[in-house]
Amino acid sequence: MSEIKLNLTDAQHTISGAIHGSVVDACIAALSAEPETINELEAALARYNKPAGDINPFGWFRKHPGIDKESWDAGIVVIDLAARIIAFESTYSRPGPQGEVHYHDGVCATDTSIFYRLPNDWLFLDSIDQYEGLRDPRRRERRSTPPLDTRTILYGRSLLEFIVRESWSLNHQSATAHDGDAIVEVERSLTAHSGELPLAKAAGMSPAIANSLGGHQPMAETLVGDNSSESVREAESQQSDAPDQDDTLRQQISLLHAKWLMTPRHDLRGESPRDVLLARQDFVDYDLHTR
């Protein structure tokens, strides 16, 4: 007794068919890739079972309006991608949220084990009736909080806008704390270190001013042609006593970086970028380590 009636269902479709129990185990391992549709599950399955040419591993499954509860051979299994529920009534095996499966090379199973771990929100049940009672509430719960693609926030326009806004704010605060000459120096520092006119423009500076400020040379360089060595030494002494602009810039960048990582954002559902980046570190590390 090695075949199982497998029901696969996502938010749109339900298919079922008889299949070898080892393929069911591989399907559960493939859930570590977090597929949301049956087609995505099929693609993820290739890591564990090498596709046999263009043959669809579920090609002979039939569509159903609901779960096919008729058991076959070793039992019945339901994998609900929309509710993230796995229900077993099977004598073949009892996989869990973490384990290993043997790689199938397209001809036969090999001795190569592939480890897997599923996300914590997958629910394992040992009753089809219990599954039917929990399916709809679980689906409604997941629909109410759809997956959030944070990449557009962490690496896209939101990040760039934050950098420009906070850079201008930091330099504006520094400028207002000094006299008129210091204001020019802060604005010149912003232009010279950024190396980009668009950033200076976003900070409220015209290209003409940015170019003129960016063209200034350090005082010691402007005096190189002076025949008075005393003047050169005096200028260098004044520069050595002045605050290191590079060090100031590094401190500002460090402050900006920390503020970006630690500030909760409404578009991240109240979490900070750091929280989002580290939320599933163990899960990702395990997946990378076992590849």
Side-chain angles (χ1 to χ4, degrees):
M1 299 178 67
S2 58
E3 289 193 340
I4 293 175
K5 173 68 67 63
L6 174 61
N7 285 266
L8 298 175
T9 179
D10 58 22
Q12 303 296 329
H13 308 287
T14 298
I15 61 174
S16 70
I19 200 166
H20 195 273
S22 63
V23 180
V24 177
D25 292 349
C27 285
I28 293 171
L31 298 176
S32 60
E34 301 192 76
E36 292 289 340
T37 67
I38 295 173
N39 287 338
E40 290 177 352
L41 175 62
E42 178 187 339
L45 183 61
R47 180 187 177 191
Y48 306 91
N49 280 18
K50 182 178 179 180
D54 296 331
I55 299 177
N56 186 324
F58 313 122
W60 62 91
F61 280 29
R62 294 189 299 174
K63 289 186 177 181
H64 293 274
I67 298 300
D68 181 0
K69 299 177 63 175
E70 183 179 354
S71 183
W72 176 264
D73 199 14
I76 180 173
V77 173
V78 176
I79 298 178
D80 190 325
L81 300 172
R84 291 211 166 186
I85 297 177
I86 301 169
F88 282 91
E89 288 183 5
S90 167
T91 59
Y92 180 84
S93 65
R94 188 66 168 82
Q98 181 172 335
E100 61 180 290
V101 295
H102 291 286
Y103 177 69
H104 195 288
D105 63 6
V107 178
C108 63
T110 68
D111 293 331
T112 302
S113 295
I114 303 178
F115 294 87
Y116 71 89
R117 177 192 290 176
L118 304 193
N120 294 331
D121 57 349
W122 275 96
L123 178 63
F124 284 74
L125 303 174
D126 56 9
S127 167
I128 302 300
D129 291 337
Q130 187 181 12
Y131 156 73
E132 291 183 316
L134 294 174
R135 174 187 57 204
D136 292 341
R138 291 269 297 187
R139 287 193 173 198
R140 285 195 297 269
E141 180 182 359
R142 293 200 72 225
R143 282 198 302 268
S144 66
T145 55
L148 175 64
D149 185 359
T150 60
R151 293 171 297 180
T152 58
I153 301 168
L154 297 178
Y155 310 112
R157 184 179 180 87
S158 297
L159 171 61
L160 300 179
E161 290 177 345
F162 178 89
I163 292 173
V164 172
R165 183 177 64 252
E166 294 299 323
S167 296
W168 166 241
S169 177
L170 285 172
N171 284 279
H172 180 69
Q173 291 173 10
S174 299
T176 55
H178 297 81
D179 58 17
D181 291 338
I183 292 176
V184 173
E185 290 299 322
V186 170
E187 291 177 340
R188 186 176 68 185
S189 174
L190 174 63
T191 304
H193 286 291
S194 69
E196 297 181 359
L197 290 181
L199 181 58
K201 182 178 180 181
M205 299 167 60
S206 68
I209 294 177
N211 280 323
S212 64
L213 292 175
H216 285 296
Q217 300 295 326
M219 185 180 297
E221 293 182 16
T222 62
L223 296 176
V224 168
D226 196 324
N227 292 328
S228 173
S229 59
E230 184 67 27
S231 298
V232 174
R233 285 195 297 271
E234 181 180 352
E236 291 177 344
S237 175
Q238 291 176 357
Q239 282 191 314
S240 63
D241 294 338
D244 186 346
Q245 290 185 350
D246 287 338
D247 185 59
T248 300
L249 181 64
R250 282 192 292 269
Q251 293 178 8
Q252 289 180 341
I253 292 174
S254 178
L255 178 63
L256 186 150
H257 186 210
K259 188 173 183 180
W260 164 253
L261 287 175
M262 303 301 292
T263 303
R265 298 177 56 89
H266 72 277
D267 50 5
L268 292 178
R269 296 174 178 170
E271 295 187 295
S272 69
R274 183 180 185 275
D275 292 335
V276 173
L277 290 169
L278 298 180
R280 308 183 68 190
Q281 182 181 7
D282 290 342
F283 175 74
V284 174
D285 285 348
Y286 182 90
D287 187 65
L288 293 174
H289 178 70
T290 55
R291 285 188 178 270

